[in-house]
Amino acid sequence: MEPAVATKLVGFSFQFIAGKLQKMLEEEAALLAEVQDDVRDVVAELRSIASFLTAMSTRRNLDDQLQNWVQEVREVAYDAEDSIDEFVCRLRSTPYDERGVKGFFKHSLHKIKSLKARHGIASYLKKVKVQVADIRKRHDRYSHSNEAFTSSSSDAATRSDMVFSDPRIISHFVEEAQLVGINQSRDKIMGWVMDENRHELTVIALVGFGGLGKTTLAKTVYDDPVIVGGHFPCRAWITVSQNYNIRQLLKQIIRKISVNEQQIRDVIGCRDASLNTEQLLNMMDESQLVQTVRGHLHGKRYLLVFDDVWRTTAWESLRIALPLNREGSRVIVTTRIEEVANTSCSHNHQFIFKVSPLSSQLSWELFRRRVFEAPDYSCPSELENIGKDILQKCNGLPLAIVTIGGLLASKPDKKLEEWKDLRDHLRLEIQTNDMLSKINQILVLSYNDLPYHLKPCFLFLGIFPEDYEIRRKRLMRQWIAEGIVSGIDGFPAEKVAERCFNQLVSRSLVQPSQFNDSGIVKSCRVHDMMLDVILSISRKENFVVLLKEHPVIPQQYQKIRRLSWQEKSSGLVPNTDLSHLRSFTTFGEEVPLTLFIKKRWLRVVDLEGCWEWFPVHPKSFSKLFLLKYLSLRNITALYELPESIGDLQNLEFLDIRGTAIKELPNTIVKLQKLVYLLAGPRRLHFPKGIRKLKRLVAFGMADADNVQLLQELGELVDLQKLGISFGGSSLSLGMLEEISALLSKLNGSLRSLKIRHVVSSDNLKKALDNVASPPLLLCKLLIDCKLCELPPWFASLNLVVKITLSETLLQPEDIIVLGNLPALVNLKLGLGSFTTVDLGFYGVGFPRLKILKIRGYNVSFKEGALRSLEIVKIRFPLESVDGIEHLHGLREVHIRTRNEDIKEKVKNIAANHPNRPKCFAPDVDLD
C-alpha cells in the first residue's frame, strides 16, 4: 500500500509544479523571454514523469530500488516548487510606494534585483533540466533491467488480487454476542424497512466513515428472521466497492434474485438450448441486463442491499434497474460518501441514517465480549484500566475494538505486561501486526479513493494533535498559503479550499464538531485511528514532522518541509537542517523562535497557543520573503510587532487577536497583498495609509479615533468584515458624517460588522440613522453602544443570521423588529441591550431562530413562541425564568445563576420536557 501512496503523492507534486511553470509561461512571458524554452522542456519532462508515476501507483509491490527512485523524485519536486515560488514572488513583487529620491533608488534597486532573479531562474532551470534528465536516465536503466517485471505487471496484479483478502468480509460474520450497541439503530432501520403504511419504493442510506459498522448494521437487518422468513420474496445482497463493473453487478443481481433461464432467453431472443445461463448473461449488453432485472422485480416486493457504494454514478446506474412499484419494496445503501447518501435518498432525506461511534460504555461492553469468555465476560480488575486506555485510542470505532480485542483474546494468559506493551505501542502494532493490519487496510481505502488534489489536503490534517478541534477557516487558509490549494479558472482560492474541505466532510474523513449559524461546518475533528493512517503515510512521504515527547531524528536525506511542535516536545536533535522548512505550527506553550526566524522558504507560521513570547530582533521577519500566513493569536505576552513586519511583501493573512498589541508599526501599510488583518477584542490603533491595503476583505477591531481612518476605510471597497471601536464621550459632527458615509460606501461588500463605543453616548445612533445606502447584505452584526432604538434600516436586514446586542438600551417594542427578520438564526442579548428588566417572547416572530442567549433579564416564553428554537442560554436572570416548557423544538437549555430555585425549576422542566433536552446548570462561585 505504501509505495502506491508514495507515487500518487509524487505524481500530485509533479503535476502541481508543472502547472506552476505553465502558468509562469502564460502570465510572465516578457519576464521569461530568455528562458521560455527551458521552462517548456522542464514542463514536458515533469508531466511525463507524473504520468508514469500515476500508472505505477496501481502496483502493489515495489522493490527498494524503485522506492528510492520515487523518494528522489519527490525531493526534486519539492525543491523545484520552492525555487519557482521564490522566483515568481520576486518577479511580481513591487517595492513599497515612496516618493522622492528614496523612492527612485528603491525602484532602481528593484529592477536590478529583477534582472538578477531572471539570471538566477535561467541557471536554476538548466540545473533542474539536468536533474530531471538524470532521473529519467536512471528510470530507463531500471526499466530495461526489469522488463520481465514490467511486461508481466498485469498478470502479477491479477495474481495479487486473487490472493488478497478483503478485510471488510469480517462484517458479514459477526457473532451475535458482539452485536453491542446496535439494537436501537437496527430497530430504527427495521421500522423503516417494515413500515406497512409506506407502499412506494424507499431507499435507506447508512453513511459513516470506515469501520463504524455500517455493513454489520445492514447485515443484521438483512438477516432478520422476519425478512428471511419471506416478507420480501426477492432479496439480494450486492457488494459494490470502489472498482465496480456495472455489468458484473447487474449479473450478480440476476443470479441472486433467481431469474429463470427462459426469462433471460426472452430478453435477448435466443433459442439456442445448448447455451447455459452464464453464457446467456455474457451475451447481454447493459440495457438488456437492466431490462431483465426490471422485468423480474416488476410487481414483486423486493429488498436489495448495495453495500459499500463509493460513486454516485454507480448508484445512478443501478437505480434505473429498480422498478418504482407500490408493493413496499426497500433498498439499503451503505456508503462512506455523504453525496452518495444524498443522491440515493434524493426523494426523502429522512431515510439517511448517520452511523456514529460507540459510547465509552458500549465500547467497554463490546471489548469485554470480544476478549473474555461467556457468560459474564468479566475483566480482571488489574487489566481494567489498561483495557480502557486501549479503548480510548479506539475512540468508539467498532472495527478497531473488535480487531484489537481479538488479538488480546488470542493470548490465553492475559498478562498485564503484554497488555501494557500493546497500549504503549498500539500505533506500531496496528502497522506491523498481521492481526491488526485490517484496521489500516479498511481505513486507507478512503485515502486511496481521494482524487490527487485532495490527498495533500487530507495529509495536512496530520499537523494537528489527537482529538484537536480544527477550525475550518484556519485549515483552509493554511492550504492556500502553502499552495496546496489555489484558484482555478477565475474561481477564487477560498472557494476552491471550501469545496475541498466539504469533500473531506462528505467522504466521512473528518467529523464535524461545530456548525455556524448558517449550518456550515465551523470546525471538525479527525478520528484517532484515521489520524494514525495520516501520520503513517506522512512519515513515508516526508510530508510533516511531529515534535512530541521525544527528540526527532529526521530520516537520512530527508529535508524537513513541515514541522508541528506539540505539547511536551523535547525538540530536535542538534544541527537539524531546517533550511527547507515551509510550514511551522505550534501547539505548545514555549517554542524557541529560532526554529522559524530567517527560514527563507516559509509560507506558514502559526504560533497560536504559544503562550510564552520572547523579545525578537527588529529584523526578525526580514528574510521570510515567501511568508503568506502569520498567526500570533492568543499570545498574551506579545505587546508589539517589529518594524520588519513590513518586509513580508507576500503576507496575505495576519492574526493578532488575543494579544496585548495596542498599536501597529507604520510599516504595516507595506503589506499590499494582505487579505485578512484580524485583531481584537481590544482596540488597536492603525497608522495612516491603510487605504494602500486594497486587497483587504477582513479588518479590525480598529480604534476609529480620527476622520482620516474612516475615510481610508471607505476606499477599501472589497471589505467584507469590519470591526471598529470609538472612544470619547461624544463623537464630533465630522466623525458622525464619516461613519454614515463609510457604511454607505461599503454597502455592496460588507457581510459582517462590529461597532463598539466604549463610553455611553447616543450620538452614534445619529450616524447609523443617516446612512444613505445601508449595508443590507449583512449576515452578522454586533453593536455595543447606546442606540435607544433601532435604526430604521434594521427592519430590512433580510439576510442577517446572527445579531449580538449589548448596552444598546432598546425599547421593548424593538423586539418585534428583531422578530420580523426572516433569516435570523442566532440572537444574543447582553447586559443593557433593553431598558426593561423583563423580556417576553410570544406570537409568530423569529421564524428561524435556533439559538437564543440572554444575560441579566427575567425571561418568559408563551405558548407558540420560537417554534424553531433549539438552544437557549440564560445567564444570571434577575428573578424569574418562565415558559421553557412551551419551546417545542428545544434540544439544549443552559442556565447559569446563583438562584438555586431558578436552577432547580429549569432542571425539572427540562427533565419533563417531551424532547428531553440536555440541561447544563453549572455551579456558580458565590465569592
Side-chain angles (χ1 to χ4, degrees):
M1 177 271 294
E2 293 86 354
V5 170
T7 53
K8 286 179 181 179
L9 187 58
V10 175
F12 163 81
S13 299
F14 269 64
Q15 290 175 9
F16 182 71
I17 294 164
K20 278 191 173 182
L21 284 170
Q22 184 66 46
K23 192 173 182 180
M24 286 173 63
L25 278 175
E26 296 168 356
E27 297 182 359
E28 308 291 350
L31 292 171
L32 294 175
E34 301 173 10
V35 295
Q36 280 189 355
D37 291 339
D38 290 330
V39 174
R40 288 193 181 94
D41 290 344
V42 173
V43 169
E45 287 290 345
L46 291 177
R47 285 187 168 153
S48 178
I49 291 175
S51 297
F52 168 77
L53 292 173
T54 301
M56 190 172 61
S57 67
T58 58
R59 297 181 180 175
R60 294 189 187 278
N61 301 304
L62 300 178
D63 62 23
D64 291 340
Q65 186 177 1
L66 191 53
Q67 289 186 49
N68 290 336
W69 182 82
V70 167
Q71 182 176 341
E72 184 182 8
V73 170
R74 179 187 63 233
E75 293 301 327
V76 171
Y78 279 136
D79 287 342
E81 184 183 356
D82 286 340
S83 296
I84 291 167
D85 276 347
E86 182 181 37
F87 173 70
V88 171
C89 288
R90 289 192 182 278
L91 284 185
R92 292 179 179 172
S93 65
T94 55
Y96 174 58
D97 182 24
E98 291 188 33
R99 301 185 183 278
V101 176
K102 187 176 181 181
F104 170 78
F105 280 113
K106 284 200 172 186
H107 280 280
S108 300
L109 181 61
H110 175 68
K111 289 182 179 180
I112 293 171
K113 287 183 176 179
S114 295
L115 288 172
K116 184 178 179 181
R118 284 197 291 273
H119 289 301
I121 193 64
S123 60
Y124 166 73
L125 285 172
K126 286 181 171 58
K127 180 180 177 182
V128 171
K129 282 179 65 176
V130 172
Q131 286 181 301
V132 173
D134 288 344
I135 289 172
R136 169 69 70 182
K137 290 175 183 177
R138 280 193 290 277
H139 163 247
D140 290 342
R141 288 197 299 271
Y142 176 86
S143 297
H144 293 322
S145 63
N146 292 274
E147 285 182 352
F149 172 79
T150 304
S151 63
S152 61
S153 60
S154 60
D155 293 338
T158 301
R159 289 194 298 272
S160 177
D161 289 339
M162 289 175 64
V163 300
F164 178 70
S165 175
D166 188 344
R168 291 167 294 185
I169 198 70
I170 62 173
S171 301
H172 294 262
F173 301 99
V174 179
E175 299 295 334
E176 185 175 351
Q178 296 171 14
L179 297 178
V180 171
I182 204 172
N183 290 343
Q184 186 174 357
S185 300
R186 179 187 58 199
D187 291 346
K188 185 168 187 175
I189 304 302
M190 280 294 295
W192 290 345
V193 170
M194 302 298 293
D195 185 357
E196 295 184 357
N197 295 320
R198 191 169 189 84
H199 303 292
E200 63 271 22
L201 172 64
T202 302
V203 181
I204 300 164
L206 313 183
V207 62
F209 66 92
L212 277 178
K214 302 181 295 296
T215 298
T216 301
L217 175 58
K219 199 72 170 63
T220 60
V221 172
Y222 185 77
D223 291 338
D224 187 274
V226 175
I227 292 176
V228 174
H231 183 78
F232 293 94
C234 287
R235 192 173 68 107
W237 180 287
I238 307 297
T239 300
V240 180
S241 75
Q242 289 169 305
N243 301 313
Y244 69 93
N245 180 302
I246 192 62
R247 293 187 74 252
Q248 295 302 323
L249 293 177
L250 292 169
K251 289 179 186 179
Q252 281 190 54
I253 298 174
I254 291 171
R255 296 186 195 104
K256 292 186 176 182
I257 61 177
S258 303
V259 179
N260 64 56
E261 190 173 292
Q262 187 56 50
Q263 284 180 277
I264 300 172
R265 290 180 183 279
D266 291 342
V267 170
I268 59 176
C270 178
R271 298 292 180 262
D272 188 345
S274 66
L275 299 177
N276 61 29
T277 300
E278 286 303 311
Q279 291 172 320
L280 291 170
L281 291 178
N282 291 334
M283 293 171 59
M284 286 182 152
D285 59 26
E286 185 175 323
S287 63
Q288 291 172 325
L289 292 169
V290 168
Q291 183 182 347
T292 303
V293 175
R294 289 183 65 90
H296 185 78
L297 294 180
H298 180 72
K300 297 184 178 68
R301 183 190 300 126
Y302 58 86
L303 171 65
L304 300 180
V305 177
F306 295 122
D307 184 38
D308 200 27
V309 182
W310 291 77
R311 304 280 184 273
T312 56
T313 51
W315 164 252
E316 294 292 353
S317 297
L318 291 167
R319 180 186 59 81
I320 60 175
L322 309 177
L324 300 176
N325 58 36
R326 292 189 58 79
E327 276 74 30
S329 296
R330 302 289 183 260
V331 173
I332 298 176
V333 174
T334 75
T335 181
R336 305 185 189 195
I337 316 297
E338 284 189 6
E339 185 181 6
V340 172
N342 292 332
T343 301
S344 59
C345 295
S346 58
H347 295 296
N348 203 327
H349 282 185
Q350 78 175 77
F351 296 111
I352 297 176
F353 185 86
K354 294 187 177 182
V355 183
S356 303
L358 295 177
S359 66
S360 56
Q361 181 180 354
L362 291 174
S363 295
W364 178 242
E365 184 179 347
L366 175 59
F367 180 77
R368 287 192 301 104
R369 287 175 176 269
R370 187 72 176 96
V371 178
F372 303 104
E373 296 180 356
D376 53 1
Y377 308 107
S378 61
C379 172
S381 58
E382 66 272 14
L383 296 178
E384 185 168 333
N385 288 336
I386 306 297
K388 289 183 176 178
D389 287 344
I390 294 172
L391 276 186
Q392 189 172 7
K393 181 69 177 176
C394 297
N395 202 12
L397 191 67
L399 166 71
I401 297 170
V402 169
T403 307
I404 294 171
L407 175 64
L408 293 173
S410 69
K411 301 177 183 296
D413 295 335
K414 306 291 188 295
K415 294 180 180 179
L416 178 63
E417 291 305 316
E418 285 184 338
W419 281 47
K420 285 184 176 180
D421 188 62
L422 178 64
R423 177 197 62 185
D424 297 338
H425 303 93
L426 184 57
R427 180 171 292 165
L428 179 63
E429 286 289 333
I430 289 174
Q431 295 173 17
T432 58
N433 189 302
D434 288 341
M435 290 188 67
L436 302 184
S437 63
K438 61 174 68 72
I439 299 175
N440 258 3
Q441 289 174 13
I442 287 180
L443 295 180
V444 86
L445 288 173
S446 293
Y447 175 80
N448 289 339
D449 188 63
L450 287 172
Y452 79 90
H453 69 279
L454 282 180
K455 291 180 184 293
C457 295
F458 183 57
L459 292 183
F460 198 86
L461 296 167
I463 71 171
F464 297 97
E466 289 183 6
D467 201 36
Y468 191 85
E469 187 163 7
I470 305 168
R471 295 195 308 276
R472 172 180 58 91
K473 290 183 178 180
R474 181 184 188 184
L475 178 64
M476 287 165 40
R477 288 164 181 167
Q478 290 192 9
W479 285 345
I480 294 169
E482 271 225 44
I484 290 174
V485 171
S486 58
I488 301 174
D489 296 331
F491 203 58
E494 292 79 5
K495 294 294 184 182
V496 177
E498 189 167 11
R499 180 177 293 179
C500 291
F501 180 84
N502 291 338
Q503 286 177 334
L504 294 182
V505 173
S506 173
R507 290 169 174 268
S508 303
L509 290 170
V510 297
Q511 286 73 58
S513 53
Q514 288 191 49
F515 296 84
N516 68 14
D517 300 310
S518 299
I520 297 171
V521 177
K522 185 177 181 180
S523 60
C524 66
R525 283 189 169 89
V526 180
H527 192 281
D528 287 353
M529 290 291 175
M530 189 61 80
L531 182 60
D532 286 347
V533 170
I534 293 172
L535 296 180
S536 175
I537 298 170
S538 290
R539 277 192 296 273
K540 294 177 176 65
E541 298 314 309
N542 190 27
F543 192 83
V544 63
V545 172
L546 303 186
L547 295 181
K548 298 182 76 173
E549 293 86 357
H550 307 293
V552 170
I553 304 175
Q555 298 180 33
Q556 192 177 15
Y557 308 122
Q558 285 192 337
K559 300 168 184 175
I560 297 180
R561 311 280 180 180
R562 297 174 185 85
L563 194 60
S564 175
W565 180 289
Q566 301 186 3
E567 286 190 45
K568 301 178 182 178
S569 171
S570 53
L572 290 159
V573 297
N575 302 319
T576 300
D577 182 13
L578 293 176
S579 61
H580 291 267
L581 194 63
R582 60 172 60 189
S583 171
F584 177 71
T585 307
T586 177
F587 301 93
E589 298 180 4
E590 298 182 15
V591 179
L593 303 182
T594 53
L595 282 177
F596 69 88
I597 296 298
K598 298 182 180 180
K599 300 300 185 289
R600 59 192 290 234
W601 304 120
L602 271 169
R603 282 88 159 166
V604 172
V605 172
D606 190 337
L607 304 181
E608 181 177 336
C610 177
W611 296 344
E612 295 294 331
W613 180 263
F614 304 98
V616 296
H617 191 275
K619 295 186 178 180
S620 299
F621 295 114
S622 59
K623 300 297 183 182
L624 305 183
F625 185 75
L626 296 179
L627 194 68
K628 292 186 176 182
Y629 180 103
L630 176 60
S631 177
L632 307 172
R633 186 173 181 175
N634 293 332
I635 304 180
T636 55
L638 179 60
Y639 292 91
E640 62 180 3
L641 291 176
E643 292 287 332
S644 60
I645 193 76
D647 294 331
L648 304 180
Q649 293 290 291
N650 290 288
L651 194 67
E652 296 178 0
F653 179 90
L654 176 61
D655 190 348
I656 53 174
R657 288 174 290 184
T659 67
I661 297 174
K662 296 180 180 178
E663 185 172 356
L664 289 177
N666 292 332
T667 55
I668 200 75
V669 299
K670 292 183 178 182
L671 306 181
Q672 295 181 30
K673 293 187 178 180
L674 204 59
V675 180
Y676 299 93
L677 178 50
L678 304 177
R682 72 168 64 227
R683 300 160 59 202
L684 188 65
H685 179 74
F686 286 84
K688 296 179 181 179
I690 288 297
R691 61 162 55 93
K692 300 180 188 300
L693 307 184
K694 298 294 186 184
R695 296 182 59 188
L696 275 182
V697 300
F699 178 87
M701 175 67 66
D703 184 359
D705 56 354
N706 60 78
V707 168
Q708 182 175 349
L709 176 65
L710 296 175
Q711 290 174 337
E712 292 195 39
L713 288 176
E715 296 183 34
L716 304 180
V717 295
D718 291 329
L719 269 184
Q720 298 177 18
K721 182 176 183 178
L722 174 63
I724 47 178
S725 179
F726 303 93
S729 59
S730 183
L731 300 177
S732 68
L733 180 61
M735 287 285 288
L736 296 176
E737 290 176 347
E738 286 302 329
I739 293 170
S740 301
L742 171 64
L743 296 181
S744 291
K745 291 175 183 176
L746 301 180
N747 71 335
S749 63
L750 211 56
R751 299 296 187 274
S752 175
L753 176 64
K754 294 182 180 180
I755 298 178
R756 285 196 169 103
H757 194 179
V758 296
V759 179
S760 180
S761 171
D762 61 359
N763 68 345
L764 185 55
K765 166 127 182 347
K766 298 175 185 177
L768 297 180
D769 283 346
N770 293 330
V771 177
S773 300
L776 301 182
L777 300 180
L778 283 175
C779 297
K780 294 183 180 181
L781 177 63
L782 180 150
I783 297 183
D784 182 2
C785 63
K786 186 177 179 181
L787 294 180
C788 296
E789 63 179 344
L790 292 174
W793 50 269
F794 264 55
S796 300
L797 294 176
N798 293 330
L799 300 179
V800 70
V801 295
K802 181 177 182 179
I803 292 180
T804 300
L805 303 175
S806 61
E807 303 299 337
T808 48
L809 298 178
L810 300 177
Q811 303 305 310
E813 54 268 24
D814 283 317
I815 200 76
I816 300 175
V817 176
L818 297 175
N820 288 332
L821 298 177
L824 188 62
V825 173
N826 188 329
L827 176 62
K828 182 177 180 180
L829 302 176
L831 290 172
S833 53
F834 282 82
T835 55
T836 180
V837 297
D838 300 310
L839 286 179
F841 296 86
Y842 54 89
V844 294
F846 301 98
R848 295 187 60 188
L849 193 69
K850 291 185 178 181
I851 303 170
L852 176 63
K853 303 176 184 178
I854 299 178
R855 176 170 181 160
Y857 291 90
N858 297 322
V859 187
S860 62
F861 306 97
K862 302 300 182 182
E863 179 65 45
L866 306 181
R867 291 188 174 276
S868 298
L869 194 68
E870 297 179 0
I871 300 172
V872 60
K873 297 184 178 182
I874 303 172
R875 294 181 53 139
F876 302 108
L878 296 178
E879 295 177 351
S880 63
V881 175
D882 297 311
I884 290 179
E885 65 274 14
H886 298 146
L887 302 175
H888 298 300
L890 198 62
R891 293 192 296 107
E892 293 181 18
V893 55
H894 302 246
I895 180 69
R896 187 175 182 86
T897 178
R898 295 184 179 92
N899 188 319
E900 292 298 322
D901 291 338
I902 292 179
K903 184 187 296 185
E904 289 303 313
K905 177 182 178 181
V906 171
K907 290 168 68 174
N908 289 334
I909 292 174
N912 294 295
H913 194 286
N915 294 352
R916 296 292 189 270
K918 296 179 181 178
C919 184
F920 301 88
D923 293 329
V924 178
D925 189 357
L926 297 177
D927 295 334

